[in-house]
Amino acid sequence: ETSRLEEHFDRTIAREQRIEPRDWMPDGYRRTLVRQISQHAHSEIIGMQPEGEWITRAPSLRRKAILLAKVQDEAGHGLYLYSAAETLGADRDELTAMLIDGRQKYSSIFNYPTLSFADVGVIGWLVDGAAICNQVPLCRSSYGPYARAMIRICKEESFHQRQGYELLMTMMRGTPEQRTMVQDAVDRWWWPSLMMFGPPDHDSPNSARSMAWKVKRHSNDELRQRFVDMTVPQAEALGVRLPDPDLRWNDERGHHDFGELDWAEFKRVISGDGPCNAQRIAVRRAAHDDGAWVREAAVAHAAKQADRARG
Ligand code: FAQ
């Protein structure tokens, strides 16, 4: 019986058709999706913090409205993704508990501080740029609810990327101090942005399985290279320097060569020891505790409604 189901599952993947919530799937496929989707959801929710800190300090009403909309979009992305994880049988309370007590990860990038308003622009340009590069192929992921959620998320991320680039263009046309702020932000965010794509392929334990299942469509290094190639001309147009002395076009490969990432730093940050890990989790935990009364009220209300319905 299992082998017949497994054959059907394999055939569905081979034909580029989608696996849907009610379909049979191997336990490993379900586990890897819950892992990736929930960590992606956590990233969106924790990702609200670095930029959210600047909402009250935005330099104009227009910038404030844009930033507020962007951070709200991130909350929405987190919610779609938690819903996608629930279609696999995951429990949202449990996922939140796993985030707060460190059993599940979220993207390394959100453990760095935002030191000036230029960081808001650079997050839009580089972090959302990297997110788009990684997520556009996920629109063709084999699991239906995840792939469909990605379509809308990618559209919104494109707006986020544009607002970042436009903010930086404006600052680069401003004073020398503003240009210095932008360059400083680029210097701090460039390498962490490249780390968003994950460990190098030879050190990526989940990649082979995820690619065979078509959960992931490209390897970590392929997407990192694509991002570098896409970003270099944008940096030139902006008039900023990317902080890598080894970055140069390689005619033979038809790609840019770039320097080695600091993988020791990457490992430190994903194991909880980055500059802002403790703060990010403390803020998330406090928000969860502050919301306890809302969850209790919702449960009490649902019980009352159920009572009434019973007559
Ligand atoms: N940070 O074997 P692999 C956003 C973990 S965008 C932390 O290569 P995999 C938008 C990995 O989970 C950011 N951990 O794993 C936004 C695994 O650990 P585990 C979120 C990382 O899954 C913008 C271990 O290392 N995007 O939020 C990182 O095949 C601006 C071994 O790695 C997504 O999540 C990392 N950078 O490939 C919001 C996209 N890299 O789980 C606000 C979906 C790796 O075994 C503002 N996810 N790890 O304990 C993916 O595409 C994949 O999961 C990868 C990792 C590519 C991230």
Side-chain angles (χ1 to χ4, degrees):
E1 173 67 5
T2 311
S3 70
R4 201 181 52 78
L5 291 167
E6 195 145 18
E7 231 168 76
H8 180 73
F9 170 85
D10 291 342
R11 214 165 339 119
T12 307
I13 302 263
R15 287 182 181 154
E16 298 290 328
Q17 289 167 344
R18 293 280 160 78
I19 305 296
E20 294 298 336
R22 285 185 203 153
D23 294 342
W24 181 90
M25 59 186 86
D27 284 345
Y29 179 81
R30 188 185 300 275
R31 265 198 313 277
T32 211
L33 278 166
V34 170
R35 178 185 63 78
Q36 177 167 327
I37 297 172
S38 58
Q39 298 191 140
H40 193 167
H42 299 329
S43 304
E44 298 281 355
I45 298 298
I46 296 285
M48 296 168 74
Q49 291 184 38
E51 294 164 284
E53 289 173 9
W54 285 92
I55 292 172
T56 56
R57 293 178 286 173
S60 68
L61 181 61
R62 177 169 173 272
R63 291 292 168 200
K64 185 176 177 127
I66 294 171
L67 185 53
L68 201 56
K70 179 182 194 288
V71 173
Q72 283 177 340
D73 285 350
E74 286 154 8
H77 298 173
L79 298 182
Y80 301 148
L81 288 165
Y82 284 126
S83 300
E86 284 175 321
T87 66
L88 292 157
D91 177 83
R92 195 183 299 202
D93 276 344
E94 175 61 13
L95 297 179
T96 303
M98 291 205 281
L99 167 65
I100 289 175
D101 64 28
R103 275 177 291 154
Q104 279 193 331
K105 299 185 175 76
Y106 57 90
S107 182
S108 52
I109 191 75
F110 303 116
N111 292 305
Y112 293 85
T114 40
L115 303 181
S116 83
F117 201 72
D119 290 35
V120 169
V122 170
I123 289 177
W125 174 38
L126 296 180
V127 176
D128 285 280
I132 293 168
C133 224
N134 165 271
Q135 284 166 206
V136 164
L138 294 176
C139 297
R140 292 185 298 115
S141 182
S142 58
Y143 187 58
Y146 190 35
R148 288 188 290 272
M150 278 302 126
I151 293 172
R152 176 159 174 187
I153 291 178
C154 285
K155 285 184 183 161
E156 293 180 347
E157 307 277 38
S158 302
F159 151 65
H160 297 172
Q161 205 264 355
R162 293 291 302 168
Q163 71 81 36
Y165 198 72
E166 189 265 350
L167 165 52
L168 296 178
M169 273 291 183
T170 305
M171 288 186 79
M172 291 304 285
R173 282 194 300 264
T175 62
E177 287 80 4
Q178 285 176 301
R179 282 193 286 278
T180 305
M181 280 165 70
V182 173
Q183 183 62 56
D184 170 63
V186 171
D187 290 345
R188 285 181 289 106
W189 288 94
W190 173 248
W191 292 105
S193 299
L194 296 186
M195 292 176 189
M196 289 174 70
F197 295 93
D201 293 349
H202 62 81
D203 196 21
S204 166
N206 299 301
S207 274
R209 222 32 285 192
S210 287
M211 285 177 60
W213 277 325
K214 298 182 184 172
V215 170
K216 276 166 75 162
R217 293 288 184 159
H218 305 280
S219 79
N220 299 356
D221 286 331
E222 273 168 33
L223 292 173
R224 191 168 10 249
Q225 179 73 62
R226 187 180 288 187
F227 175 69
V228 170
D229 290 340
M230 186 182 95
T231 308
V232 167
Q234 295 173 357
E236 275 163 21
L238 205 51
V240 296
R241 196 174 13 84
L242 296 173
D244 178 358
D246 298 325
L247 183 63
R248 68 180 59 86
W249 177 253
N250 180 330
D251 226 2
E252 246 164 65
R253 289 202 309 124
H255 291 291
H256 293 85
D257 291 336
F258 55 98
E260 189 60 17
L261 279 68
D262 182 348
W263 294 113
E265 172 179 325
F266 173 75
K267 290 205 172 116
R268 260 195 324 275
V269 175
I270 68 170
S271 57
D273 195 20
C276 299
N277 294 60
Q279 177 191 341
R280 300 291 182 239
I281 291 298
V283 168
R284 182 68 194 87
R285 185 191 300 273
H288 189 65
D289 293 346
D290 288 349
W293 69 273
V294 179
R295 293 190 294 278
E296 281 161 24
V299 170
H301 181 71
K304 218 187 302 179
Q305 297 288 37
D307 256 4
R308 280 210 196 111
R310 255 181 258 121

